[in-house]
Amino acid sequence: MTYSIKDLAAQLQTGSQGARALVEDCLAAIDDPNGEGQRSFIEVYHDRARKEADAVDHARKQGWSLPAFAGIPLSIKDLFDEAGIVTRAGSKILQDATPANSDATVLARLKAAGFIVIGRTNMTEFAFSGLGTNAHYGDARCPFERDPNDITKGRVAGGSSSGSAVSISDGMAPATIGSDTGGSTRAPAAFCGIVGLKPTTTRMPSDGIFPLSRSFDAAGPMANTVSCCAILDSLMAGGLGEDEAAFAVKGLRLALPKGYLFEDLDPHVASSFAAAIDRLSAAGADISDITLAEIEALRPSNNTKSIVAAEAYHLHQSNLEAGKGDQYDPLIAFRIQGGKDILASEYIEMFATRKRIWAAVQTAVRGYDALILPTSPALPPALSSLSDIQAKTTQNAKCLRNTAISNYLDRPTITIPCHPAGTGPVGVSLVGSRQHDRRLLAIAAASESIIRG
């Protein structure tokens, strides 16, 4: 079942759909023994969600005033604080931590708008991988080439917001929120055939969200459509849940940043992306090839010495130095250790370099409405190909190569599926200008049906 937030809100308000019935549909998908619910969710709020849905239905029958989105289920990544709940961030080491005192601000805003939290989704431990695997809670699988009879056969869902993306693709929720530090909303969205948004970092309040890198983290929505993401983005940023009116495609100025972001594309990714570009061009978009010399020289994706690695190590230093590294997923412990030997002078210089490149890229792309590129150069890797840390590290770097550029530049980016039905999942990314997130959503709203084909 494909859910649209706008349609569901209208159905609930008119009474053609009940909140309890909607919650039950989602719970049935989660609890399906042949489905991905047990690997996509760390915790499911069966009783709580039902009670909240019943309260919404009762209020509607009484004619009481309700928020615009009252009764719509929402899944949340396991790094958002909820009052009275332990935030585990996909780990075991935090399972006995003190429960949160209050909801994360972005979550509180969604609850105030009427969304019902149906459960906490699985994720890469501490959000530090684009694969979405988790040694503690299992590996959520994307819909493509999934074997319901053998959980070892299938492909990764993408990370770190893996369970969140699968909750949308599999009809376990109509809306979800995740976080994005190097691609963690967009990689899983692309691999699961849905829409995912990375906002400008400072657009969303970060309080109550377990961090990976405070300089790069951005909470963002994933859903079935651009419209759904626009509604969620508005609410999370403190708005009223507005959709965004679409720009005209004719005359849109889109730039293809040719170079390493287009190297070694999977043939299916390349052909699906090229077809989407052809459709946009036929619809009147003005598409040009450009070269971003500073990005080509730096190639910032997944550098061992990086701002993210330094900040991640600082967050986990006490646990690692206390000998608790064996309680981490081995891949995550390995990646965090990469930030151990970064000097303060190197850390400061990384920020200076980043600021310089921001300015250079802004000058280079000033004449365009957005950049456009494949979300990932690869199809989601098969779980069977991730035999050891080296294999996971290599695949992770490849999966996040294109997404990481948006985080480095701190530009809002949205991914939209472009592959033919029944084929491997491919996403097209539109990259906007810093602090112009709603303009990007208007561009995406205009382009979505064309990109999808």
Side-chain angles (χ1 to χ4, degrees):
M1 183 182 298
T2 298
Y3 297 96
S4 160
I5 291 174
K6 186 183 291 186
D7 289 345
L8 286 176
Q11 292 168 16
L12 287 164
Q13 288 165 10
T14 61
S16 61
Q17 170 74 275
R20 176 61 183 266
L22 182 55
V23 163
E24 291 293 352
D25 284 346
C26 293
L27 291 175
I30 294 170
D31 295 337
D32 181 355
N34 294 317
E36 288 297 295
Q38 61 187 313
R39 288 170 292 281
S40 298
F41 282 81
I42 289 176
E43 188 169 1
V44 183
Y45 301 143
H46 292 86
D47 293 339
R48 193 181 91 179
R50 286 172 173 137
K51 288 177 181 178
E52 291 181 11
D54 287 343
V56 168
D57 286 340
H58 176 74
R60 280 211 170 89
K61 288 179 181 178
Q62 299 303 312
W64 299 344
S65 178
L66 286 169
F69 304 99
I72 298 179
L74 171 77
S75 66
I76 64 171
K77 189 176 183 178
D78 187 43
L79 47 58
F80 291 93
D81 280 355
E82 287 183 279
I85 304 295
V86 173
T87 303
R88 287 161 291 198
S91 74
K92 290 287 189 180
I93 202 168
L94 295 180
Q95 62 186 350
D96 296 322
T98 303
N101 291 321
S102 59
D103 292 342
T105 296
V106 292
L107 177 57
R109 289 171 174 175
L110 291 168
K111 285 184 175 180
F115 285 91
I116 295 173
V117 178
I118 203 162
R120 301 179 68 84
T121 56
N122 196 5
M123 56 178 282
T124 301
E125 184 181 40
F126 297 120
F128 207 8
S129 168
L131 299 175
T133 57
N134 187 299
H136 310 301
Y137 298 104
D139 302 330
R141 301 175 296 172
C142 75
F144 180 55
E145 294 185 344
R146 180 195 296 162
D147 186 343
N149 299 312
D150 187 346
I151 63 171
T152 67
K153 294 181 180 179
R155 295 173 180 260
V156 302
S160 61
S161 309
S162 51
S164 292
V166 179
S167 76
I168 300 298
S169 68
D170 283 34
M172 295 184 276
T176 193
I177 54 174
S179 66
D180 195 311
T181 307
S184 288
T185 58
R186 291 160 292 140
F191 286 174
C192 291
I194 62 171
V195 179
L197 173 69
K198 183 210 86 72
T200 303
T201 298
T202 55
R203 177 166 173 77
M204 304 298 176
S206 61
D207 58 296
I209 306 174
F210 196 94
L212 172 59
S213 168
R214 297 185 189 278
S215 301
F216 280 66
D217 297 343
M222 291 176 280
N224 285 304
T225 68
V226 170
S227 170
C228 295
C229 285
I231 289 168
L232 293 167
D233 169 84
S234 173
L235 292 168
M236 293 168 73
L240 299 176
E242 301 96 342
D243 200 352
E244 200 65 34
F247 284 0
V249 171
K250 187 175 182 180
L252 269 182
R253 298 160 301 171
L254 303 176
L256 291 160
K258 288 298 182 74
Y260 89 100
L261 297 173
F262 283 80
E263 291 175 359
D264 300 322
L265 298 182
D266 177 275
H268 177 66
V269 171
S271 62
S272 297
F273 180 80
I277 292 297
D278 287 345
R279 292 192 294 270
L280 285 166
S281 182
D286 182 2
I287 303 174
S288 304
D289 292 352
I290 65 169
T291 300
L292 299 177
E294 292 78 12
I295 298 300
E296 288 301 304
L298 187 65
R299 297 189 173 221
S301 173
N302 289 278
N303 288 341
T304 302
K305 286 193 172 185
S306 67
I307 294 169
V308 173
E311 294 182 349
Y313 184 79
H314 176 257
L315 284 165
H316 296 276
Q317 181 177 3
S318 59
N319 281 337
L320 295 174
E321 291 185 350
K324 297 180 181 179
D326 59 350
Q327 297 181 44
Y328 284 67
D329 181 321
L331 172 66
I332 305 310
F334 174 79
R335 296 203 72 205
I336 292 172
Q337 288 284 2
K340 181 178 180 179
D341 298 322
I342 296 175
L343 300 175
S345 59
E346 292 175 313
Y347 181 69
I348 293 168
E349 180 59 29
M350 289 175 197
F351 277 99
T353 299
R354 189 186 186 206
K355 187 174 181 180
R356 174 179 58 78
I357 290 177
W358 278 4
V361 171
Q362 177 62 26
T363 299
V365 303
R366 186 170 288 134
Y368 301 97
D369 296 304
L371 304 179
I372 186 167
L373 66 156
T375 304
S376 175
L379 292 175
L383 287 167
S384 60
S385 71
L386 307 176
S387 55
D388 53 32
I389 287 179
Q390 183 56 54
K392 289 181 178 180
T393 300
T394 300
Q395 292 279 24
N396 179 73
K398 188 171 185 179
C399 290
L400 296 184
R401 186 193 72 187
N402 287 15
T403 57
I405 190 66
S406 296
N407 303 88
Y408 188 81
L409 298 174
D410 193 23
R411 286 176 167 258
T413 304
I414 192 165
T415 180
I416 300 169
C418 71
H419 54 282
T423 67
V426 181
V428 167
S429 280
L430 294 167
V431 183
S433 298
R434 295 184 68 236
Q435 307 296 350
H436 291 277
D437 300 56
R438 298 304 289 186
R439 189 171 190 274
L440 173 66
L441 284 162
I443 293 168
S447 308
E448 180 177 20
S449 62
I450 299 167
I451 288 172
R452 288 179 182 267

